[in-house]
Amino acid sequence: MSLYRLAWPLVRRFDPETAHALALWALRRRLVPARRPRPDPVLRRHVLGLTFANPVGLAAGFDKDGTAVDALAGLGFGFVETGTVTPRPQAGNARPRLVRLEADGALINRMGFNNAGATALAARLARRRHRAVVGANIGKNRDSTDAAGDYGACARVLAPLVDYLVINVSSPNTPGLRALQDRAAVDAIAAATREGARATRGDGGPPVLLKVAPDLTADDRAAIAACAADGTVDGLIATNTTIQRPDTLRAPDRDAAGGLSGRPLAPLATRVLADLYRRTGGTVPLVAVGGIDGPDAAYARIRAGAGLVQLYTALIYAGPGLVREVVNGLADRLRADGFTRVADAVGVDAASHEAPA
Ligand SMILES: Cc1cc2nc3c(=O)[nH]c(=O)nc-3n(C[C@H](O)[C@H](O)[C@H](O)COP(=O)(O)O)c2cc1C
């Protein structure tokens, strides 16, 4: 049993947001013991013009302000996504705003983009030492009336310091944000993001991805796939948290307000991913996130169409040793099926997943 599992009865006595702040503090102080995964050439990835030591990343929202990027990369992640940050710092919604659904291996959050602002993140990223790929996930301030301007402002500040940018238009906790997933809004936001990035970075800017909600309609998914296929954005991240509440939920807090993440999100996130893979004919880099809780889930998501995967909620329940378990287990599963590189496994099962309603 891992040290983290042993400590869990103590961890769960803290309110979830306090426990999270303590975890980040312990990471920064290098108090989190975790054996790194073994480096393995089968896991090396070249995608989005970047090289990843392995395809397993930390999802956005865990280290919004980039306070522990080096320590998180040190756990063995192939990439770490910071953010969501907004141009100006903001407090987010009132606490409590993060709820554990322990019986379901899930969380519900309504954080509302609490963050220290893009400039503070940039200052921290300028000091980072680790070589892992680092992304910044960007959003708009709650009270902003110029969404595209906000994404552009974040891109301008962060582009020189990151390997990729993510346009987040899929959080359920900023009123009106998810309406920005339509074609016209994505076009305007992507253009502003690229323009902001080019203003401060000579090479044309980092790749720009779009993070989508699992609750999109088929028409929305068609529009998003078209944006990626025509190069408006360079890749897609599927998915953010869901506003749906699957019937399988057992925990007493199942009806809390906010976005649901973790194990119950996995079936829906997988179907959205496979649908986007089919719609883009496998030509667009896709990052899978949503309920990935071990090597089997990570491998299944790659087979469903993901070039890269990310985790968040499972880390809260399983602890930092999960990174090594997923990375090593993924290499074992690829080899067992005769694959010599991740790219050959991407999408082999995409046809077998039913499209979401
Ligand atoms: C507490 C919490 C905060 C989050 N904050 C963000 C965020 O700021 N930006 C974002 O794009 N996604 C955010 N997410 C969503 C995750 O990045 C991820 O898409 C989602 O949780 C599904 O993955 P999981 O089931 O592995 O947690 C957050 C999730 C949680 C649980």
Side-chain angles (χ1 to χ4, degrees), residues 176-240:
L177 191 81
R178 287 171 308 139
L180 302 175
Q181 290 174 112
D182 76 29
R183 178 78 219 212
V186 170
D187 282 347
I189 292 171
T193 300
R194 290 204 198 270
E195 201 182 307
R198 280 194 203 110
T200 51
R201 208 171 115 156
D203 63 355
V208 173
L209 290 86
L210 182 72
K211 184 164 177 179
V212 303
D215 308 313
L216 296 173
T217 63
D219 284 350
D220 294 335
R221 292 195 304 273
I224 296 284
C227 286
D230 71 12
T232 302
V233 292
D234 302 304
L236 301 172
I237 304 188
T239 67
N240 214 312

Side-chain angles (χ1 to χ4, degrees), residues 4 17-36 58-59 61-77 80-82 129-130 311-312 315-316 319-324:
Y4 189 83
E17 197 172 338
T18 306
H20 193 76
L22 280 172
L24 282 173
W25 174 84
L27 278 159
R28 278 196 296 277
R29 299 266 150 162
R30 306 285 168 160
L31 297 173
V32 178
R35 284 193 298 152
R36 290 176 61 86
L58 178 69
F62 192 99
D63 188 12
K64 289 175 192 272
D65 295 320
T67 63
V69 173
D70 283 331
L72 285 161
L75 298 179
F77 282 114
V80 173
E81 190 168 311
T82 59
R129 282 202 280 271
H130 210 285
L311 351 154
Y312 187 147
L315 271 180
I316 305 296
L322 181 68
V323 185
R324 176 187 154 92

Side-chain angles (χ1 to χ4, degrees), residues 59-61 64 84 109 137 168 211 239-240 261-262 265 289-291 312-313:
K64 289 175 192 272
T84 299
N109 91 80
N137 181 308
N168 180 6
K211 184 164 177 179
T239 67
N240 214 312
S261 60
L265 172 59
V289 55
Y312 187 147
T313 300

Side-chain angles (χ1 to χ4, degrees), residues 127-138:
R127 293 197 296 268
R128 83 176 151 108
R129 282 202 280 271
H130 210 285
R131 286 181 337 204
V133 170
V134 172
N137 181 308
I138 58 177

Side-chain angles (χ1 to χ4, degrees), residues 210 212-216 221 224-225 235-240 265-290 292 297-310 345-356:
L210 182 72
V212 303
D215 308 313
L216 296 173
R221 292 195 304 273
I224 296 284
L236 301 172
I237 304 188
T239 67
N240 214 312
L265 172 59
L268 179 60
T270 306
R271 289 204 298 274
V272 172
L273 172 82
D275 185 63
L276 292 171
Y277 182 88
R278 290 192 300 262
R279 288 177 189 273
T280 53
T283 58
V284 170
L286 301 178
V287 182
V289 55
I292 296 174
Y299 184 46
R301 215 62 70 91
I302 286 170
R303 294 183 62 110
L308 300 163
V309 301
Q310 292 179 321
V346 174
V348 294
D349 292 339
S352 65
H353 294 277
E354 206 180 308

